[in-house]
Amino acid sequence: MKLRTILLATTGSLMAAPMAFGDAHGNMANSMTLVSWGGAYQASQIAAYSNPYQEMHPDVEMIWDESSPEAVARLRAMEEAGNITWDLVDVEAADAIRLCDEGLAMEIDANEVLAPAPDGTEAEDDFGEMLVNDCFIPQIVFSTVAAYRTDQVPAGVEPPSGACDLFDLETYPGQRALNRNPIANMEWALLCDGVAYEDVYDALETEEGIAQAFAMLDTIKDQTIWWSSAAEAVQLLADGEVFMATSYNGRWFSAIAEQNQPIGMAWDWQMLDLDGWIIPEGLPEDRLARVLDFVYFATDTQRLADQAAYISYGPARASSAPLVGTHAELGIEMAPHMPTDPANGENTFVNNYLWWADYRDDLDARFQAWLAQ
Amino acid sequence: MTDASAGNASQNAATARREDAARTGPMLAADGRPLKASLNRALRRQKMRALLLIAPLLIFILVTFVAPIIDMLFRSVENQIVSETLPRTVVALDDWDAQDLPSEDVYAALAYDFNEAAERRRHTRLGSRLNYETTGLSSTFRRSGRGIEDVGETYAEQFIDLDEAWEEPETWTALMAHPDWLSAQAEWAAEAEAAGRDFDEPEPAFRLAPGIADVLPETADAYRSFARTIQQEDEDSPTEEEPWNTVYLALYRDLAAQPASAVAAYFGPIAAELAAADAAVDGFETVSLREVFGEMDDAWAEMPMWETIDAFSDPYTAGYFLAAIDLQLTPDGIEAQPEDQRIYILLFQRTIFMSLVITISCVLLGYPIAYLLSNLPARTSNLLLILVLLPFWTSLLVRTSAWKVLLQQEGVINDILVWVGFIADDARLQLINNQTGTIIAMTHILLPFMILPLFSVMKTIPPYYVRAAKSLGATNWTAFWRVYFPQSIPGIGAGCILVFILSIGYYITPELVGGRTGTFISNRIAFHISESLNWGLAAALGSILLALVLVLYWIYDRMVGIDNVKLG
Amino acid sequence: MDHKLPPYATLGQRIWFYAFRVICGLIFFFLIAPILTIIPLSFNAESFFTFTPGMLALDPEAYSLRHYVDFFTNPDWQQALRNSVMIAPVATILSVSLGTLAAIGLSQSHVPFKGAIMAILISPMIVPLIISAAGMYFFYSRIGLQGTYWGVVLAHAALGIPFVIITVTATLVGFDRSLTRAAASLGANPVTTFFRIQMPLILPGVISGGLFAFITSFDEVVVVIFVGSAAQQTLPWQMFTGLREQISPTILAVATILVVISIGLLTVVELLRRRSERLRGMSPG
């Protein structure tokens, strides 16, 4: 019954949405604040989405805020104040689920709000499983993956091949840089300690599993610098502060291909995840109209494919995949650099964002306490 | 000090005058008023003028600065979320003995509360809140939010099997809604129909029919909760929606609990259906709500969940403050946190320890400089003073970036050490992202705050004491240690407190160069504000830090006087 | 120890005398060297933070202005600079005008609760920034000021006020009250007295307080991160993000510019201080 009411409500209001685009054109706000992750990723969004949009609408001002890591906190504070200053927020799937559950993100009907594929396939089918809930507008598939300094690999040793080499201090001595939150780290700790792929999340629901993961992480705790923004990890590796680090595959790509840093990627057990937009709940009508207009444009098949010309993230639409071409400046073929390319890593695991939405609070508390001790 | 004694003096003078006046009659001013009154009036006017000059700023500071801090202090004890999200449960738990799992009544109250909370999407927030106290509850609340709509389904089915009318929204509104509301709602619907999609007038808020709450107390309450929620959240009309399953649960509980006469005495709308249902409920298949909830998530059928809800049902709690010092509130009183969760005492200790190390380093480095400056001729010392003032005036971020560049493994200092041959290229020192980095950078940043007060005290120490001591045969060291040093102690004290106050609250520099082990309690506060969202704990940690600083501030004020702070 | 070595000093005294100077020299080096190191590095032709061999050989090829060019052409940095320039002066004007009035009020002889008022007014300087920032974040959120230009301005004004109070009260300490009384007895009204007699004398204090308030706002990063939003991203905020993520040498160029600004402001404050002391006849410059 709940589902029915939601469907009724959304279709009801969204039957009107295309009309709203038409007649409310004069009522669209001329400024929007977009929130993203900064660095190479945000640059690719600006190049692929907002620059072409601004060419079509030169009077629209776009403000970019690099606050995605704190998106949930900020949106809560804004809701408490009843003053939503953001228009469109880029978040990971797990955060989108949290925001949607708390009523901080707006529920949308993908078929109404998002453009169909060029062949007429409806958005819902084109995005398929990527639409993890009613609020999430997927953009990319990315992966968290390990990388290392190619010039510091000990003599006579094979370079690291995957995330498990992070834990192998004997073969690969040196500092590590890992994300300062439990996601991916806990799973890797278990996988590399011999837990089977399909048992990882079950194990993390038990005390013993959590203890096992922490015990594994303990072996490298003192050798690790914990980063809070993805660019930091790239910087640490580029500066030679650490030997191995984890970050998002697109960041590594831009460090390796665009900045020619002596960095190699260790793809094995890369963790796939989704990233996309959410629209904050409670936007005034004129701003909502502008955001919907932008989102319709920025998530169409061509735009998602265009983004892949700037950063090596896989577009979330099935119809975009064949359009992925070469890098905008370097001219290299992008497909082999995508996390979804089968050549990249023997093992891949998919972030169970539904599980993380449920357990994030629990594990965060324990992870942060572990980290501080 | 001087103020107080001046006050005393004037008081004494006033007393003397009063005695004088008593003997000779009041002295008069030029306008014929008594001089005393006239003087008092002038004094009062002067006070008023001074206060009027100060008032705008005082109000400004109170509003923009003091109010936010007080607001934050309140946040550290506020806990309305539990009683607001689960109001019925909290009341029902009042007479729970905490020995065994609560009764079915409590679970029923929970079902009504949770259903509304889930529809209003408030349950996950409560889950996050309770998770601060008992790890694991957040996932329970999230999971339960997905299962709650099935609670009471058994009864809904049985009522509908009995009479399909129970499925119809009209049956329910006829039974539950106030006639006035029904007509207002119908009017609203007609207007909405006529106006089309631009119509944005809110629905009239649902009202219960008079007297129904006496006949079916739980049902009336559950239905009102349903009606108001769908009106506000989904902008749906209760006239068009079948109630939640928990409303059927309430109806069953009302009918099963009451003597048949209560329903027999009801003659309002739907009386016939109600009477039929009343007759049938005794034959209904029943379920244990405890089991229903336990199936949704084990935690509902275990004690810790209920102990936590019970312990945190008050609108104000000391829980955040306890958590800030590694304690927790349990039914058996206050206990220590489990070992692997104890971090805040450690962090406070680390903050204080590192601030002490920084303060001591500042004394060790600052004392010789201040001594040199105060013993050089004014021209030279003024020139050298610029070397102290320049860092003082330079942006904090500039200095921090300088240290980041210098201390990195591939940074300037390591490069020089390798180049000189002190260390091997593959054994570069780890000078950053740990305590060393924080201590070096912060000593540099706070050193001017030590040198300046030391210098101003040393300037006033007359040189002839030391000379006299030496001429009396003291060695250089004795003369310094026994004569000069004691006189410079006030400067050391002032500098130390200032540096210590500034350093225990530092955030930026530890964040950038401190890594995991070199961060302060401030970094933890920032983390709780922007990442973990545990704002209450952030506020409690902040309050403790603030109290610490204010005590030091008070000592500083006693020792040095806050108006004696000199800048440059 | 005196600043000159007496001719009769023993060998030990001589050694200690020079050793002490060397120690002091090293400490001065510690104070100043980090700030000076980044200046040459900001002219590095490469994107590194170490001195390249070319730089050490003073090869002009190894130096360039590219990081400065980047600062002046990069829209992010320019926006940050614009924001800083829009926020700091307004915050300064607020704190100077309110602060000066209050300092004059506080310097009167009979002020009730003077100690308590003073403690409250100075408190923004003493309360750890993270606490001020947290409090303001929650409170300003509640009243809708969070993420707005005026929210940041008000917060910065509050932080700058203690400096104004301290410097202006310091100049008023030496202020001779008989001057205002003389003016009053000669028939000047309070407003005239203020502008003709008091103002010129405390002006140096007001200006240096203003400079302190300005630099406080111009350098402030903790509060603005919490109270501001992307549209108020200031120069220090941009630097903070950069330091945490990608330390591009552009940060060093910005840092160098800020050092130069600091030197300029420091000189002004020093000159004002001397002028003020001369005016009040306290000490010869």
Side-chain angles (χ1 to χ4, degrees):
Chain A
M1 174 183 56
K2 185 192 166 212
L3 193 66
R4 205 187 75 216
T5 49
I6 289 170
L7 283 178
L8 277 175
T10 37
T11 40
S13 62
L14 287 164
M15 289 306 272
M19 272 158 59
F21 290 166
D23 71 29
H25 219 62
N27 290 331
M28 279 194 210
N30 272 336
S31 154
M32 56 189 290
T33 304
L34 298 97
V35 183
S36 186
W37 302 88
Y41 177 58
Q42 188 172 311
S44 76
Q45 292 178 311
I46 293 175
Y49 308 157
S50 78
N51 284 350
Y53 187 78
Q54 271 179 312
E55 264 169 42
M56 290 157 45
H57 307 272
D59 47 342
V60 176
E61 185 196 8
M62 300 224 175
I63 302 162
W64 287 84
D65 190 327
E66 301 180 3
S67 300
S68 280
E70 288 120 42
V72 183
R74 291 281 166 121
L75 284 169
R76 265 198 204 170
M78 286 179 198
E79 191 228 30
E80 190 171 302
N83 177 24
I84 310 285
T85 56
W86 289 350
D87 295 301
L88 194 58
V89 188
D90 191 292
V91 290
E92 289 174 12
D95 277 344
I97 295 171
R98 270 152 62 104
L99 289 167
C100 209
D101 286 350
E102 290 191 19
L104 294 172
M106 193 178 102
E107 295 186 353
I108 53 141
D109 181 330
N111 284 343
E112 295 295 337
V113 172
L114 306 176
D119 63 2
T121 313
E122 293 221 302
E124 219 169 287
D125 300 323
D126 201 16
F127 281 104
E129 284 177 13
M130 310 277 177
L131 291 165
V132 297
N133 66 11
D134 297 331
C135 304
F136 188 60
I137 306 167
Q139 287 174 74
I140 54 152
V141 179
F142 68 98
S143 80
T144 310
V145 57
Y148 60 96
R149 284 285 289 210
T150 47
D151 55 347
Q152 287 174 13
V153 179
V157 174
E158 284 285 305
S161 63
C164 288
D165 294 325
L166 288 166
F167 298 94
D168 188 355
L169 280 171
E170 261 172 46
T171 322
Y172 306 106
Q175 299 255 329
R176 272 72 170 131
L178 297 177
N179 193 350
R180 194 163 64 187
N181 78 41
I183 298 179
N185 292 329
M186 297 296 272
E187 289 105 316
W188 278 328
L190 288 182
L191 281 169
C192 301
D193 201 24
V195 175
Y197 173 63
E198 52 282 1
D199 299 336
V200 166
Y201 288 105
D202 289 339
L204 284 177
E205 285 179 28
T206 65
E207 285 298 317
E208 301 77 45
I210 293 173
Q212 187 186 358
F214 282 138
M216 190 67 178
L217 285 168
D218 267 330
T219 60
I220 55 166
K221 189 178 183 185
D222 292 332
Q223 291 287 313
T224 303
I225 297 171
W226 302 90
W227 54 262
S228 49
S229 81
E232 209 178 336
V234 180
Q235 182 74 29
L236 286 166
L237 203 60
D239 289 347
E241 289 292 295
V242 298
F243 170 67
M244 278 189 91
T246 62
S247 187
Y248 308 129
N249 71 294
R251 307 267 178 168
W252 293 133
F253 172 79
S254 71
I256 296 168
E258 292 165 10
Q259 294 161 27
N260 295 314
Q261 297 287 342
I263 295 174
M265 289 172 80
W267 284 98
D268 208 24
W269 286 126
Q270 59 161 325
M271 189 184 80
L272 290 179
D273 201 345
L274 299 180
D275 197 276
W277 300 115
I278 59 103
I279 303 171
E281 177 77 54
L283 289 183
E285 227 163 83
D286 57 335
R287 279 167 58 198
L288 182 60
R290 172 60 70 198
V291 173
L292 288 173
D293 190 53
F294 175 76
V295 164
Y296 189 87
F297 170 79
T299 57
D300 70 13
T301 301
Q302 188 58 47
R303 247 45 62 186
L304 288 186
D306 285 352
Q307 192 191 7
Y310 300 95
I311 197 156
S312 59
Y313 293 136
R317 273 179 188 265
S319 61
S320 298
L323 302 179
V324 171
T326 55
H327 188 275
E329 282 145 33
L330 304 174
I332 46 178
E333 208 52 58
M334 290 302 281
H337 297 279
M338 296 292 167
T340 41
D341 193 89
N344 289 332
E346 206 174 307
N347 300 297
T348 295
F349 87 90
V350 181
N351 177 359
N352 189 341
Y353 27 77
L354 291 171
W355 188 90
W356 272 113
D358 276 359
Y359 285 91
R360 179 79 195 262
D361 280 339
D362 307 0
L363 279 187
D364 249 355
R366 312 196 47 157
F367 186 82
Q368 296 303 337
W370 171 81
L371 208 54
Q373 276 179 339
Chain B
M1 236 22 230
T2 39
D3 265 1
S5 48
N8 271 338
S10 68
Q11 232 169 27
N12 290 344
T15 327
R17 266 203 306 276
R18 212 173 303 136
E19 281 161 6
D20 229 25
R23 274 199 302 277
T24 61
M27 196 184 269
L28 298 183
D31 59 355
R33 292 160 187 266
L35 182 60
K36 206 179 81 179
S38 177
L39 279 172
N40 273 345
R41 209 164 54 119
L43 189 66
R44 221 173 23 245
R45 204 183 296 147
Q46 205 181 350
K47 278 186 185 173
M48 280 308 293
R49 200 169 56 216
L51 281 182
L52 275 180
L53 285 169
I54 300 169
L57 181 66
L58 194 61
I59 293 168
F60 181 81
I61 287 282
L62 287 176
V63 172
T64 59
F65 186 80
V66 179
I69 288 181
I70 292 174
D71 178 53
M72 186 196 72
L73 297 184
F74 271 114
R75 214 176 256 272
S76 63
V77 291
E78 273 174 12
N79 190 44
Q80 285 93 341
I81 184 168
V82 182
S83 50
E84 278 171 9
T85 317
L86 303 176
R88 302 169 185 87
T89 317
V90 165
V91 172
L93 273 177
D94 266 349
D95 11 278
W96 180 50
D97 59 3
Q99 297 303 314
D100 207 349
L101 284 174
S103 66
E104 281 290 296
D105 292 343
V106 176
Y107 280 99
L110 177 70
Y112 309 140
D113 284 337
F114 209 99
N115 202 350
E116 179 173 343
E119 292 294 330
R120 289 182 186 270
R121 291 183 290 190
R122 305 228 151 254
H123 63 297
T124 58
R125 287 185 216 197
L126 179 61
S128 302
R129 162 69 189 96
L130 293 176
N131 197 65
Y132 302 144
E133 311 300 339
T134 308
T135 320
L137 296 192
S138 173
S139 50
T140 301
F141 272 73
R142 286 178 171 277
R143 255 198 306 273
S144 311
R146 294 194 287 270
I148 189 69
E149 46 181 55
D150 299 334
V151 174
E153 202 180 11
T154 332
Y155 300 112
E157 282 166 2
Q158 295 183 78
F159 277 113
I160 294 165
D161 284 347
L162 184 73
D163 184 346
E164 287 193 353
W166 288 115
E167 201 175 13
E168 301 305 322
E170 293 81 14
T171 316
W172 284 96
T173 45
L175 178 65
M176 289 291 164
H178 197 284
D180 293 353
W181 175 82
L182 272 174
S183 52
Q185 181 79 4
E187 213 170 285
W188 174 86
E191 273 177 46
E193 185 76 22
R197 67 173 193 88
D198 283 333
F199 187 72
D200 54 1
E201 203 150 301
E203 290 174 52
F206 176 81
R207 281 165 62 205
L208 277 176
I212 191 70
D214 300 328
V215 186
L216 302 168
E218 281 192 28
T219 319
D221 182 42
Y223 189 81
R224 183 175 49 196
S225 151
F226 154 77
R228 290 260 168 98
T229 304
I230 64 163
Q231 280 190 318
Q232 288 164 13
E233 289 299 303
D234 311 328
E235 287 165 21
D236 283 334
S237 169
T239 53
E240 288 163 13
E241 297 292 327
E242 186 189 345
W244 300 331
N245 286 331
T246 45
V247 177
Y248 293 94
L249 166 71
L251 182 62
Y252 169 77
R253 283 173 52 83
D254 274 335
L255 295 178
Q258 287 189 343
S261 57
V263 175
Y266 171 75
F267 296 110
I270 320 293
E273 288 88 339
L274 203 58
D278 191 30
V281 286
D282 290 338
F284 272 18
E285 177 201 343
T286 60
V287 287
S288 151
L289 286 174
R290 185 187 300 173
E291 276 167 26
V292 170
F293 272 94
E295 271 164 35
M296 237 171 358
D297 194 297
D298 295 342
W300 291 114
E302 287 161 11
M303 289 296 280
M305 166 67 89
W306 292 103
E307 287 166 355
T308 310
I309 294 180
D310 193 37
F312 291 91
S313 55
D314 292 333
Y316 294 94
T317 177
Y320 292 120
F321 274 102
L322 293 174
I325 49 172
D326 289 342
L327 299 174
Q328 60 181 347
L329 201 58
T330 66
D332 310 328
I334 295 164
E335 283 176 11
Q337 292 269 6
E339 190 121 16
D340 60 342
Q341 302 285 320
R342 283 181 220 159
I343 52 172
Y344 296 106
I345 297 278
L346 183 84
L347 276 172
F348 273 113
Q349 279 170 349
R350 187 192 288 164
T351 305
I352 290 171
F353 167 76
M354 284 173 65
S355 300
L356 279 175
V357 172
I358 290 161
T359 310
I360 292 167
S361 319
C362 282
V363 176
L364 292 179
L365 297 181
Y367 199 89
I369 295 292
Y371 183 80
L372 182 77
L373 288 177
S374 60
N375 282 297
L376 285 175
R379 183 183 290 273
T380 331
S381 77
N382 273 345
L383 212 63
L384 287 176
L385 199 57
I386 290 180
L387 297 184
V388 179
L389 289 176
L390 181 61
F392 182 74
W393 270 91
T394 310
S395 162
L396 168 70
L397 280 163
V398 170
R399 285 179 282 167
T400 309
S401 32
W403 282 111
K404 201 149 177 171
V405 168
L406 290 173
L407 295 176
Q408 287 188 3
Q409 291 207 15
E410 303 287 326
V412 176
I413 290 181
N414 264 312
D415 277 355
I416 293 174
L417 290 177
V418 169
W419 183 65
V420 174
F422 280 162
I423 54 171
D425 197 13
D426 53 357
R428 288 171 175 254
L429 300 178
Q430 183 68 37
L431 296 172
I432 202 169
N433 292 322
N434 56 19
Q435 296 198 354
T436 321
T438 307
I439 289 170
I440 294 177
M442 281 186 57
T443 303
H444 176 252
I445 286 165
L446 295 175
L447 192 49
F449 290 96
M450 179 63 81
I451 295 178
L452 294 176
L454 265 176
F455 175 55
S456 67
V457 167
M458 285 181 177
K459 259 197 313 197
T460 62
I461 300 176
Y464 39 79
Y465 287 149
V466 173
R467 278 190 221 131
K470 281 192 202 167
S471 75
L472 290 170
T475 61
N476 273 349
W477 170 250
T478 320
F480 167 77
W481 184 245
R482 302 288 295 277
V483 178
Y484 191 91
F485 183 75
Q487 296 184 77
S488 67
I489 284 179
I492 298 181
C496 282
I497 297 182
L498 194 59
V499 168
F500 193 79
I501 288 181
L502 292 173
S503 102
I504 56 171
Y506 242 61
Y507 166 67
I508 289 293
T509 309
E511 181 73 19
L512 290 171
V513 301
R516 180 175 71 87
T517 52
T519 49
F520 284 10
I521 198 76
S522 309
N523 303 87
R524 200 73 196 165
I525 296 174
F527 166 79
H528 281 309
I529 294 172
S530 54
E531 284 178 59
S532 83
L533 309 185
N534 192 345
W535 293 344
L537 182 56
L541 290 169
S543 306
I544 295 175
L545 180 62
L546 183 65
L548 210 63
V549 167
L550 288 182
V551 168
L552 291 166
Y553 179 35
W554 179 77
I555 296 173
Y556 185 84
D557 194 22
R558 289 274 110 161
M559 257 180 66
V560 192
I562 194 63
D563 22 9
N564 286 340
V565 182
K566 292 255 171 23
L567 299 164
Chain C
M1 184 190 314
D2 273 312
H3 63 279
K4 277 207 192 74
L5 197 60
Y8 49 80
T10 63
L11 180 65
Q13 281 171 334
R14 268 164 210 281
I15 293 174
W16 172 239
F17 179 84
Y18 289 110
F20 182 71
R21 304 263 143 153
V22 171
I23 293 172
C24 287
L26 287 174
I27 300 172
F28 276 122
F29 182 76
F30 171 72
L31 269 172
I32 213 79
I35 299 170
L36 298 185
T37 329
I38 57 177
I39 296 179
L41 281 175
S42 70
F43 294 99
N44 196 337
E46 308 273 347
S47 291
F48 298 128
F49 299 107
T50 48
F51 291 95
T52 55
M55 292 181 85
L56 292 173
L58 294 180
D59 178 3
E61 294 277 299
Y63 293 86
S64 90
L65 287 173
R66 57 181 273 211
H67 305 309
Y68 290 85
V69 173
D70 183 39
F71 172 67
F72 285 108
T73 51
N74 183 321
D76 287 347
W77 284 106
Q78 285 306 299
Q79 184 59 44
L81 179 64
R82 260 199 303 281
N83 284 335
S84 279
V85 169
M86 272 170 59
I87 289 167
V90 181
T92 307
I93 290 169
L94 256 178
S95 29
V96 167
S97 47
L98 292 173
T100 307
L101 276 185
I104 293 169
L106 280 168
S107 70
Q108 315 262 326
S109 37
H110 300 283
V111 184
F113 314 112
K114 186 176 175 182
I117 291 176
M118 197 70 178
I120 292 175
L121 297 185
I122 303 291
S123 62
M125 193 169 89
I126 297 296
V127 172
L129 276 174
I130 189 71
I131 293 176
S132 317
M136 287 170 171
Y137 177 65
F138 294 135
F139 188 73
Y140 287 15
S141 288
R142 277 187 212 220
I143 58 176
L145 273 176
Q146 202 274 335
T148 64
Y149 170 76
W150 283 106
V152 178
V153 167
L154 291 179
H156 278 181
L159 295 180
I161 276 163
F163 297 97
V164 178
I165 296 279
I166 287 171
T167 48
V168 179
T169 14
T171 47
L172 282 167
V173 165
F175 181 74
D176 189 350
R177 286 217 156 265
S178 52
L179 289 176
T180 47
R181 273 188 225 125
S185 74
L186 289 171
N189 63 29
V191 177
T192 318
T193 319
F194 174 73
F195 278 107
R196 301 288 294 276
I197 310 288
Q198 222 163 358
M199 200 56 193
L201 283 168
I202 62 169
L203 194 61
V206 173
I207 294 179
S208 60
L211 288 175
F212 269 108
F214 180 82
I215 205 90
T216 305
S217 165
F218 203 71
D219 266 359
E220 207 288 320
V221 55
V222 185
V223 168
V224 75
I225 285 178
F226 283 92
V227 174
S229 70
Q232 289 88 41
Q233 183 143 351
T234 58
L235 217 45
W237 186 350
Q238 181 81 19
M239 281 181 80
F240 178 71
T241 320
L243 276 175
R244 220 163 54 154
E245 294 174 3
Q246 282 157 306
I247 344 179
S248 78
T250 309
I251 289 184
L252 300 188
V254 181
T256 306
I257 295 170
L258 289 181
V259 170
V260 172
I261 294 176
S262 307
I263 293 176
L265 291 181
L266 174 62
T267 319
V268 175
V269 171
E270 183 60 22
L271 291 177
L272 284 170
R273 192 180 61 83
R274 293 188 185 184
R275 184 184 131 82
S276 149
E277 287 188 350
R278 228 180 13 253
L279 271 179
R280 293 183 290 143
M282 278 171 76
S283 69

